[in-house]
Amino acid sequence: MFAAERRQLILEMVRANGAVSLRELARVVQTSEVTVRRDVRALEAEGLLDRRHGGAVLPGGLSREPGYPQKTHLAAAEKSAVADLAASLVEEGDAVVVGAGTTTQELARRLARVPGLTVVTNSLLVAQALAHANRVEVVMTGGTLRGSNYALVGSGAEQSLQGLRVARAFVSGSGLTAERGLSTTNMLSASVDRALVQAAAEVIVLADHTKLGTDTMFQTVPTDAITRLVTDEQATADDRTARELDALADRGVQVTVAPLGLPGDPQPHPSYGHGPATEPRRGQQTAPLPGQRRPGTHGGPPPVPGGPAVAPGLPGQARLAELGSRRKR
């Protein structure tokens, strides 16, 4: 296929879906991601699309938000890996807040297996994923339905969260930078997300590599309020996103990287550096692997007593890899 034909097909896919990952583009045009990345750069130079880390989106600036169907196709494998790992931070009997988004929807599907769980959410998609779960109580906020992402927003949603206190909040957004934190493109969504995280003792941001280094209009969670970031290993492969991870760790965020599953291999595989480390269960102390940052030094705040444990048996279970030596020397 000639370059002009490839680029026309790439442009048609982005126009049809709003956002498409490089991996998916490479699969459809039957070429390498390196070639696709070069094509995307050329199309961006012509003003026909915008590049994002790991994908391409329609041009539109800070205020544009792809619809739900478009967002589900962007970095789908990475979101699944992030959700697998995030679910391991939840234990039987926990009470958590889960915000709206395609990654948090993936998380909710996995939380359906955790008995005795209480989940507070403003997302219809999160609630739907948990509707038939055994021994999982779902508490929904009030508010006005925002159809583009099936979330409840507005003063009703915010007021219903007043006085609430849970162990952890799991939230996602449109962009994440060390300088500004988590942000989104919609003012109403940002306001509810702020109310969600204020209800939690720990704030866990779920952001695949396409969100890193991207800044959008409305800040939801400032960097100093983020306890942990869960991202995918693609974030360590690019110099720009790896530098963003460095900066986030320097600001006290615990960065946890989810390895992507290999085709045909149901087991997790090592991510980077000196290999993955499994987080200790409650009360158990473990020494860091060589090259890893010990919690409480450079890689974030010290572990909270009675903190999260790894739940065994989750499909595609990703072992925890605390940010340390991100790139192989």
Side-chain angles (χ1 to χ4, degrees):
M1 186 181 295
F2 293 111
E5 294 175 308
R6 281 199 318 270
R7 291 171 187 178
Q8 182 60 36
L9 182 55
I10 289 169
L11 190 57
E12 289 173 1
M13 288 182 63
V14 173
R15 285 173 175 170
N17 295 285
V20 188
S21 68
L22 291 178
R23 178 177 296 180
E24 180 64 14
L25 289 172
R27 185 188 67 79
V28 172
V29 302
Q30 297 182 338
T31 187
S32 68
E33 289 189 29
V34 173
T35 300
V36 166
R37 187 177 290 110
R38 186 163 54 243
D39 291 336
V40 167
R41 284 173 179 163
L43 291 167
E44 183 184 44
E46 297 178 36
L48 298 174
L49 51 74
D50 289 340
R51 277 190 304 146
R52 292 291 182 267
H53 298 301
V57 301
L58 287 174
L62 291 176
S63 63
R64 189 183 186 282
E65 179 183 28
Y68 170 78
Q70 289 76 33
K71 288 190 286 187
T72 58
H73 294 292
L74 182 61
E78 290 84 351
K79 290 175 182 177
S80 180
V82 167
D84 280 341
L85 199 154
S88 72
L89 304 175
V90 180
E91 292 185 321
E92 180 176 349
D94 278 351
V96 298
V97 162
V98 179
T102 51
T103 310
T104 52
Q105 181 187 17
E106 287 295 318
L107 170 63
R109 290 174 177 145
R110 290 147 178 81
L111 295 184
R113 307 183 185 96
V114 183
L117 193 64
T118 300
V119 177
V120 181
T121 186
N122 70 319
S123 169
L124 298 186
L125 298 174
V126 168
Q128 182 183 42
L130 294 166
H132 302 292
N134 183 35
R135 293 179 58 201
V136 174
E137 182 179 4
V138 180
V139 179
M140 294 209 66
T141 68
T144 302
L145 178 63
R146 183 169 180 255
S148 62
N149 65 345
Y150 302 95
L152 297 171
V153 298
S155 60
E158 295 171 43
Q159 290 172 8
S160 66
L161 293 165
Q162 292 180 2
L164 179 70
R165 194 64 172 168
V166 298
R168 298 175 192 90
F170 294 89
V171 292
S172 60
S174 302
L176 176 66
T177 66
E179 180 180 357
R180 194 156 173 254
L182 190 67
S183 61
T184 189
T185 56
N186 181 267
M187 181 172 62
L188 293 175
S189 294
S191 186
V192 175
D193 283 350
R194 284 193 288 267
L196 287 169
V197 301
Q198 286 173 3
E202 298 179 18
V203 177
I204 301 172
V205 170
L206 311 184
D208 63 76
H209 66 281
T210 66
K211 309 289 180 62
L212 294 177
T214 299
D215 194 9
T216 54
M217 285 189 72
F218 302 99
Q219 183 192 59
T220 55
V221 189
T223 306
D224 58 8
I226 300 173
T227 308
R228 183 191 297 268
L229 164 66
V230 182
T231 189
D232 64 274
E233 67 179 348
Q234 289 280 73
T236 68
D238 180 85
D239 285 342
R240 183 179 177 185
T241 51
R243 285 195 298 269
E244 201 70 54
L245 295 183
D246 273 328
L248 286 162
D250 289 342
R251 297 285 293 271
V253 178
Q254 290 179 285
V255 178
T256 308
V257 175
L260 297 175
L262 295 172
D265 182 8
Q267 300 300 320
H269 67 286
S271 55
Y272 62 88
H274 295 276
T278 302
E279 195 159 284
R281 293 188 178 275
R282 291 182 176 175
Q284 177 185 353
Q285 300 295 323
T286 62
L289 295 177
Q292 287 186 314
R293 292 173 180 167
R294 184 187 298 273
T297 57
H298 194 56
V304 177
V310 174
L314 292 173
Q317 173 68 44
R319 298 177 182 178
L320 300 182
E322 292 300 336
L323 182 66
S325 178
R326 255 170 315 281
R327 297 176 293 280
K328 294 181 179 178
R329 305 297 180 187

